[in-house]
């Protein structure tokens, strides 16, 4: 193990991780960001709905954020964390290149998107296949839009997408039974329902043109919305036994500061809110960084008190 003791190790160098790093760096903490270089939104060419950065690429935002964090002395290590263990007065963090020690950690990675198993869909993810109408709907507004349901919760996405186009086809095989009230609502807005499963996404010159269904039909679309299933991937933190929410759409349990069930571990971003966007991740990361610093301040005060009592005795 290295002799270096970091105040904080941040797992993940996306928007949440960099926001936490910036806060901790400005608090004059010794901070290391460990990042494997695979942000969740790397498939998208542009971000939208991000105040002050509308239309900027995710990669460019991370480049700017990293430079800002480095200006405050934050260090970076490109590797993958393999385990985090409680060592009493610190955490032991193992990665592909070795082991280090930290007084605290902020987890900002740990979500994998499981996409529908439809040939041709994965190759278009982030381009012709998209998930968030607030993030990407404006760019495909007025075109022929499809919505591929992945669960009963997809009904909300189907109704939402109609705001961006009056030509919407909903592929409802995974939706389950649609009650009469919902069916009437969809029909009233002119949304076509197709209950035959989608078997293939057709493209022409790398542009989405149609969704093929099991009944042999080809449904002309220009873009397809779908909701991937976010899966928590926190094997590296298994020994910490962190509390996970049982509520749909939630991840690690944290309080308003970003504190998890372990006193030395905070979390932010999609590992906490799997469906959160970039601004939400930024805010959570900023709060988690400040939260961890506040916890370290209290620990510093307790240590100073013990030292002064020892000197007096």
């Amino acid at each position: 193990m290295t002799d270096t003791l970091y105040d904080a190790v941040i797992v993940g160098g996306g928007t949440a991780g960099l926001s936490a790093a910036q806060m901790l760096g400005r608090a004059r903490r010794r901070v290391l960001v460990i990042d494997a270089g695979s942000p969740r939104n790397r498939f998208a060419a542009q971000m939208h709905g991000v105040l002050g950065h509308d239309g900027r690429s995710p990669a460019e935002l991370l480049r700017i954020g990293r430079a800002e964090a480095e200006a405050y002395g934050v260090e970076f290590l490109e590797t993958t964390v393999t385990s985090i263990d409680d060592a009493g007065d610190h955490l032991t963090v193992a990665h592909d290149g070795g082991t280090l020690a930290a007084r605290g950690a902020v987890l900002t990675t740990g979500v994998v998107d499981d996409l529908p198993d439809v040939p041709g869909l994965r190759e278009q993810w982030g381009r012709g296949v998209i998930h968030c109408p607030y993030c990407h709907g404006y760019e495909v507004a007025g075109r022929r839009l499809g919505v591929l349901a992945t669960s009963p919760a997809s009904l909300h996405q189907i109704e939402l997408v109609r705001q961006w186009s009056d030509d919407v086809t909903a592929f409802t095989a995974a939706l389950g039974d649609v009650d009469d009230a919902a069916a009437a609502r969809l029909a009233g807005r002119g949304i076509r329902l197709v209950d035959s499963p989608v078997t293939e996404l057709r493209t022409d010159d790398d542009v989405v043109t149609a969704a093929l269904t099991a009944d042999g039909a080809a449904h002309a679309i220009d873009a397809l919305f779908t909701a991937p299933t976010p899966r928590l991937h926190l094997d590296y933190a298994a020994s910490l036994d962190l509390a996970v929410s049982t509520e749909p759409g939630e991840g690690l349990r944290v309080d308003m500061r970003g504190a998890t069930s372990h006193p030395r571990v905070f979390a932010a971003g999609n590992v906490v809110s799997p469906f959160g966007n970039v601004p939400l991740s930024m805010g959570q990361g900023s709060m988690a960084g400040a939260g961890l610093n506040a916890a370290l301040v209290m620990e510093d005060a307790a240590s100073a008190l013990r030292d002064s009592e020892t000197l007096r005795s």
Side-chain angles (χ1 to χ4, degrees), residues 5 98 174 194 225 245 249 257 308:
L5 175 65
V194 176
F225 283 85
S245 174
R257 303 168 299 151
S308 63

Side-chain angles (χ1 to χ4, degrees), residues 103-123:
R103 296 173 63 193
V106 182
L107 310 185
T108 67
T109 188
V111 173
V112 177
D113 286 318
D114 289 333
L115 297 171
D117 187 16
V118 174
L121 186 148
R122 181 174 294 276
E123 292 80 1

Side-chain angles (χ1 to χ4, degrees), residues 11 20 24 39 48 58-59 64-65 71 75 108 111 128 143 165 181 184 189 196 206 222 241 261 273 275 288 299 307:
V11 183
L24 285 157
H48 296 282
I64 294 170
E75 301 173 42
T108 67
V111 173
R143 306 180 72 183
S165 176
R189 300 227 59 194
S196 183
D206 202 32
D222 299 308
D241 196 26
S261 56
S273 304
F275 296 105
E299 186 174 75
D307 289 346

Side-chain angles (χ1 to χ4, degrees), residues 120-121 123-124 200-210:
L121 186 148
E123 292 80 1
Q124 284 289 323
E200 183 181 348
L201 190 64
R202 177 180 290 172
T203 60
D204 183 11
D205 197 23
D206 202 32
V207 175
V208 172
T209 59

Side-chain angles (χ1 to χ4, degrees), residues 117-199:
D117 187 16
V118 174
L121 186 148
R122 181 174 294 276
E123 292 80 1
Q124 284 289 323
W125 181 236
R127 297 182 294 128
V129 178
I130 46 188
H131 72 292
C132 172
Y134 292 107
C135 303
H136 308 292
Y138 190 89
E139 284 62 47
V140 295
R143 306 180 72 183
R144 300 172 299 180
L145 305 181
V147 185
L148 176 59
T150 56
S151 76
S154 295
L155 179 62
H156 172 67
Q157 186 183 39
I158 293 169
E159 296 196 77
L160 201 59
V161 168
R162 175 61 178 80
Q163 174 63 24
W164 281 265
S165 176
D166 58 8
D167 189 337
V168 177
T169 302
F171 301 96
T172 63
L175 195 59
D177 293 332
V178 179
D179 63 45
D180 292 342
R185 225 170 36 245
L186 297 175
R189 300 227 59 194
I191 298 172
R192 294 180 295 276
L193 303 185
V194 176
D195 59 9
S196 183
V198 175
T199 58

Side-chain angles (χ1 to χ4, degrees), residues 202-248:
R202 177 180 290 172
T203 60
D204 183 11
D205 197 23
D206 202 32
V207 175
V208 172
T209 59
L212 309 185
T213 48
D215 58 6
H219 305 271
I221 57 173
D222 299 308
L224 181 69
F225 283 85
T226 193
T229 302
R231 173 169 47 88
L232 288 183
H233 182 62
L234 288 168
D235 294 349
Y236 66 88
S239 71
L240 301 178
D241 196 26
L242 301 176
V244 177
S245 174
T246 58
E247 296 297 318

Side-chain angles (χ1 to χ4, degrees), residues 15-45:
T15 52
L18 290 176
S19 293
Q22 187 181 79
M23 292 297 281
L24 285 157
R26 285 181 55 81
R28 305 174 67 195
R29 296 294 183 181
R30 182 160 195 187
V31 184
L32 175 68
V33 176
I34 300 179
D35 182 51
S38 299
R40 190 183 183 192
N41 63 355
R42 65 190 181 278
F43 301 99

